[in-house]
Amino acid sequence: MSTLVEDNPAKRRFEILVDDALAGFTAYLPRGEVLVFTHTEVDRGFQGKGVGGTLVRGTLDQLRARGTTVVPQCPFMSAFIDKHPEYADLVADLP
């Protein structure tokens, strides 16, 4: 199973492709240098396979490389960051 996480700025979301099929996304609203994440969704056929975690991890890794911070209003992303404190430094207050 090959995965690719990429930003789709036109749709304001990061998407995960699994074997070239869109498997899920995490939506954001840009607020200056901060991205406010509002919703994460994984297609039913990919749920329970770690796709959501791979999506959020890939998103946060890319944002760290860019120097961007996040406001995780999405419960899934917030729970992921709580379970993986190595990403806590990316969390910002809402601008």
Side-chain angles (χ1 to χ4, degrees):
M1 179 170 84
S2 69
T3 61
L4 173 67
V5 175
E6 59 187 1
D7 190 5
N8 184 338
K11 292 187 176 182
R12 293 185 175 170
R13 66 188 196 179
F14 278 80
E15 299 173 339
I16 185 166
L17 302 175
V18 176
D19 296 331
D20 297 322
L22 180 62
F25 65 88
T26 185
Y28 61 82
L29 298 171
R31 296 288 182 259
E33 297 298 314
V34 177
L35 296 182
V36 179
F37 282 85
T38 58
H39 180 69
T40 300
E41 189 172 313
V42 174
D43 183 88
R44 285 185 190 208
F46 294 98
Q47 291 179 0
K49 299 178 181 179
V51 171
T54 300
L55 167 62
V56 172
R57 183 180 303 279
T59 298
L60 294 173
D61 287 345
Q62 289 181 44
L63 294 176
R64 181 185 305 278
R66 291 186 202 171
T68 302
T69 54
V70 303
V71 176
Q73 289 184 341
C74 164
F76 187 88
M77 181 174 278
S78 180
F80 182 91
I81 292 170
D82 287 345
K83 290 178 186 172
H84 299 89
E86 65 270 24
Y87 292 106
D89 63 309
L90 296 177
V91 177
D93 293 325
L94 190 61

